[in-house]
């Protein structure tokens, strides 16, 4: 095990599988339910779930501002609903976005639960082998700003993006056995932690 400690926001949604995947990739994973726990971690995963509920739950044991302050200083990986929260431009008034990824993200844009689908995508950082991406009421990334690097796309739409310390996926990598995207995030956390990469929120 490395000495990194990565949190998974555990207030709603698919957090347990993320923690399992991080542990299997060799880092200590902690389910974060209280703001006090944020001081013990060096990276955070915001899981999929329901972005409206996630927004509503912030303000209970962890405030929006706690996550905002954390994400300004440490890497955050948002998947599905977590991507919505990291992005911008969502028109739904029930959602409070953090805006760390300069990407306009709309909710449920690939259709309802019934239209959930899987797709083999290519990862820019490991193009030799497809990644089996699982989309569940997935958000769509409609546009990206100049700071954003597209790491995978499906059709014309980016589905895995990064900007500075932050990473976002519109699908659910934690529901596969393939830990490459989690390992990529761990590497980011490690480089920031070691001071090799500048903290750019
Ligand atoms: N549709 C959900 C939302 O808007 C996201 C779905 C998911 O995280 N799998 O928050």
């Amino acid at each position: 095990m490395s000495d990194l400690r990565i949190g998974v926001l555990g207030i709603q949604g698919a957090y347990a599988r993320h923690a399992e995947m991080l542990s299997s990739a060799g880092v200590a994973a902690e389910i974060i339910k209280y703001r006090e726990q944020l001081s013990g971690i060096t990276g955070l995963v915001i899981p999929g779930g329901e972005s409206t509920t996630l927004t509503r739950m912030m303000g209970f044991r962890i405030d929006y501002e706690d996550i905002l302050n954390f994400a300004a200083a440490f890497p955050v990986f948002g998947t599905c609903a977590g991507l919505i929260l990291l992005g911008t431009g969502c028109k739904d008034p029930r959602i409070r976005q953090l805006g760390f990824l300069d990407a306009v993200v709309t909710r449920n844009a690939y259709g309802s639960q019934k239209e959930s689908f899987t797709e083999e995508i290519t990862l820019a950082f490991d193009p030799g082998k497809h990644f089996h991406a699982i989309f569940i009421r997935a958000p769509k990334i409609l546009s990206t700003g100049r700071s954003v690097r597209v790491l995978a796309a499906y059709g014309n739409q980016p589905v895995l993006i990064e900007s500075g310390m932050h990473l976002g996926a519109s699908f659910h990598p934690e529901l596969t056995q393939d830990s490459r995207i989690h390992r990529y995030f761990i590497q980011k956390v490690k480089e920031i932690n070691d001071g090799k990469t500048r903290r750019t929120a």
Side-chain angles (χ1 to χ4, degrees), residues 138-152:
K140 205 177 255 186
I141 299 172
L142 295 182
S143 62
T144 53
R146 278 199 307 172
S147 67
V148 169
R149 196 157 88 95
V150 177
L151 298 175

Side-chain angles (χ1 to χ4, degrees), residues 47-52 79-82 84 107-108 136-139 172:
E50 196 55 51
S51 49
T52 50
T79 60
C80 208
I84 298 172
R107 300 182 59 221
N108 303 337
I136 304 170
R137 282 187 309 122
H172 282 264

